[in-house]
Amino acid sequence: MSSVEERGEVGVAAAPGSSSGGLGVVAVGTALEAVVGGPSMQEEVSIRRGEGLGPESDPDEPPPKKRMRLPEGESGKLEERLYSVLCCTVCLDLPKASVYQCTNGHLMCAGCFIHLLADSRLKEEQATCPNCRCEISKSLCCRNLAVEKAVSELPTDCPFCLKQFPRSSLERHQREECQDRVTQCKYKRIGCPWKGPFHELPAHEEECCHPTKTGTELMGILGEMDQSHSRELTLYNSIFSLLCYEKIGFTGRLEVQFRPYRTDDFITRLYYETPRFTVLNQTWVLKARVNDSERNPNLSCKRTLSFQLILKSKVNSAIECSFLLLKGPYDDVRIKPVIHHHAFSNDTNETDYVPLPITDSVECNKLLAAKNINLRLFIFQIQK
């Protein structure tokens, strides 16, 4: 015991010195270790700090996991790095719907993919991938469902409240949940022009003056509404009246197929023509052209299609007909029904070119990108 006390006194005596204080603590730890047989104080501190004792510490515990640290220049968000990986190779934006890929895996959004196919049709060239120049077509390219799912889970900012949401739920948030979405007053049908954020709607509707307007003040607004409804009603009444005719013909089970051709001019122009088909015991042909035979329609962002109906049979007397074109049974193009009238004879066997009633240039690109344009023709013969 005397030797232990002497060692302890030596350790304590060395404590007051600044440079020897650490040595004193170490000496105390060494002395206690020699008596008790336990670890020194430094080893206890290292254990508390999480420093392992090596393979001899505990053979049953797994080794501590190491955290991978990114360099300071590469510490951006994962979403920002994925944008450049999953973006469309044409518009350099994240796809909003379907994603197509070429045979080498380069990604294209549905709009750019259809636009490339339409441009190749107008220029009479083979469509190629903008990155690797391999051939692309609807048969060679396929959808990438994994990328579509990954893009739908990436966060994006709501344009109204500027909060981030997954792309898959952003549409529902903008339509139902966002308190800053632009909305209209419920009295807009009687002329209230107010538009504003949704959270201000209750306060506006309490102060809106349109519910207190007199009937005379509302007559003008209701008259404009009646005009728009009457135009739609006239169209549907005309279609129902045509269905009452005795002689009605349409293209049967198979829709009319417009096939692409080129003119014999020095600068060739694209046009479409159908094979001859029989309706109402007469032979007919349909022709169509792009942008009214514009010289370079591929340089224009706005694209339209117009068509004409041609009677190929010889007739003894004039045939007065009404006709309209609708989309085929398996197409997704949107066409508004428009009724046209013409009196066909041997001298006037062609109608003027009339615009195909598609909604916008996107629908036109869908038709141009297809191998054939499939539509359904209805002809109603007017009895004299």
Side-chain angles (χ1 to χ4, degrees):
M1 291 298 293
S2 61
S3 62
V4 174
E5 292 175 356
E6 291 175 359
R7 291 177 183 176
E9 290 172 359
V10 171
V12 173
S18 60
S19 62
S20 61
L23 297 176
V25 175
V26 173
V28 173
T30 306
L32 293 176
E33 180 183 359
V35 176
V36 183
S40 64
M41 187 176 295
Q42 282 185 343
E43 292 177 349
E44 289 180 356
V45 172
S46 65
I47 292 173
R48 291 174 184 175
R49 289 180 180 176
E51 299 176 2
L53 297 178
E56 299 178 357
S57 60
D58 192 349
D60 296 332
E61 286 189 5
K65 295 182 180 180
K66 296 182 179 180
R67 292 184 179 180
M68 182 179 294
R69 294 183 179 180
L70 294 174
E72 294 181 359
E74 301 178 4
S75 59
K77 292 183 178 180
L78 176 62
E79 295 86 357
E80 296 177 357
R81 299 198 300 273
L82 285 176
Y83 288 160
S84 60
V85 177
L86 302 178
C87 69
C88 171
T89 58
V90 182
C91 63
L92 303 180
D93 197 4
L94 284 179
K96 297 180 180 179
S98 303
V99 180
Y100 291 88
Q101 66 176 18
C102 72
T103 53
N104 292 326
H106 298 121
L107 304 176
M108 293 166 282
C109 64
C112 292
F113 176 66
I114 295 299
H115 198 93
L116 288 175
L117 297 181
D119 281 352
S120 66
R121 176 74 69 190
L122 295 174
K123 294 185 290 186
E124 200 178 7
E125 297 175 356
Q126 174 61 47
T128 57
C129 172
N131 271 14
C132 61
R133 299 302 176 186
C134 69
E135 294 184 3
I136 59 173
S137 65
K138 287 190 175 181
S139 59
L140 294 175
C141 297
C142 62
R143 289 177 61 182
N144 193 320
L145 301 180
V147 172
E148 292 179 12
K149 182 64 176 176
V151 170
S152 68
E153 296 300 326
L154 287 176
T156 185
D157 294 334
C158 173
F160 304 118
C161 63
L162 303 181
K163 297 179 181 179
Q164 285 195 341
F165 296 90
R167 289 174 176 264
S168 57
S169 61
L170 180 63
E171 184 178 355
R172 181 176 60 85
H173 165 76
Q174 292 179 345
R175 186 178 62 252
E176 302 175 0
E177 300 174 355
C178 183
Q179 295 296 313
D180 293 329
R181 67 184 186 270
V182 177
T183 186
Q184 292 180 298
C185 177
K186 66 180 181 180
Y187 302 112
K188 66 177 181 178
R189 295 178 61 85
I190 55 175
C192 181
W194 182 87
K195 290 183 180 180
F198 179 78
H199 66 268
E200 296 180 4
L201 180 62
H204 164 77
E205 290 181 348
E206 290 180 359
E207 301 174 356
C208 185
C209 62
H210 283 75
T212 59
K213 286 190 174 182
T214 62
T216 305
E217 294 173 336
L218 296 177
M219 285 300 295
I221 302 170
L222 296 177
E224 295 178 359
M225 294 174 57
D226 289 341
Q227 289 180 2
S228 61
H229 289 311
S230 63
R231 286 192 295 267
E232 297 178 359
L233 188 60
T234 302
L235 172 63
Y236 290 114
N237 287 338
S238 301
I239 294 176
F240 288 128
S241 299
L242 292 175
L243 293 175
C244 299
Y245 284 8
E246 180 182 356
K247 293 184 178 181
I248 301 174
F250 62 100
T251 51
R253 296 182 179 180
L254 298 177
E255 59 270 19
V256 176
Q257 289 190 349
F258 287 86
R259 297 176 182 175
Y261 296 94
R262 292 281 170 177
T263 61
D264 296 331
D265 302 333
F266 178 74
I267 300 176
T268 61
R269 290 179 173 86
L270 174 70
Y271 73 96
Y272 287 84
E273 186 174 339
T274 66
R276 296 192 178 195
F277 56 91
T278 302
V279 175
L280 297 177
N281 298 323
Q282 305 293 337
T283 305
W284 308 84
V285 167
L286 276 168
K287 286 186 177 181
R289 61 188 185 185
V290 183
N291 285 13
D292 291 329
S293 295
E294 187 181 29
R295 183 171 182 177
N296 292 312
N298 56 295
L299 301 180
S300 175
C301 294
K302 185 178 181 181
R303 292 171 182 171
T304 59
L305 278 171
S306 54
F307 72 97
Q308 71 170 169
L309 181 61
I310 304 173
L311 175 64
K312 289 295 184 179
S313 302
K314 298 296 182 180
V315 293
N316 298 325
S317 59
I319 302 175
E320 189 174 356
C321 296
S322 298
F323 61 94
L324 73 156
L325 274 178
L326 299 176
K327 73 180 188 68
Y330 305 109
D331 290 339
D332 60 347
V333 64
R334 291 174 290 180
I335 298 180
K336 297 179 180 178
V338 176
I339 302 172
H340 304 281
H341 306 276
H342 188 76
F344 293 92
S345 64
N346 294 330
D347 297 329
T348 58
N349 63 333
E350 297 181 357
T351 67
D352 295 331
Y353 275 92
V354 293
L356 184 67
I358 50 181
T359 55
D360 51 24
S361 298
V362 176
E363 300 299 319
C364 185
N365 282 332
K366 288 181 181 179
L367 295 175
L368 295 175
K371 186 177 181 180
N372 296 314
I373 299 178
N374 301 320
L375 300 176
R376 177 156 286 181
L377 173 69
F378 288 83
I379 301 178
F380 309 88
Q381 184 174 349
I382 301 174
Q383 298 296 321
K384 296 181 180 179

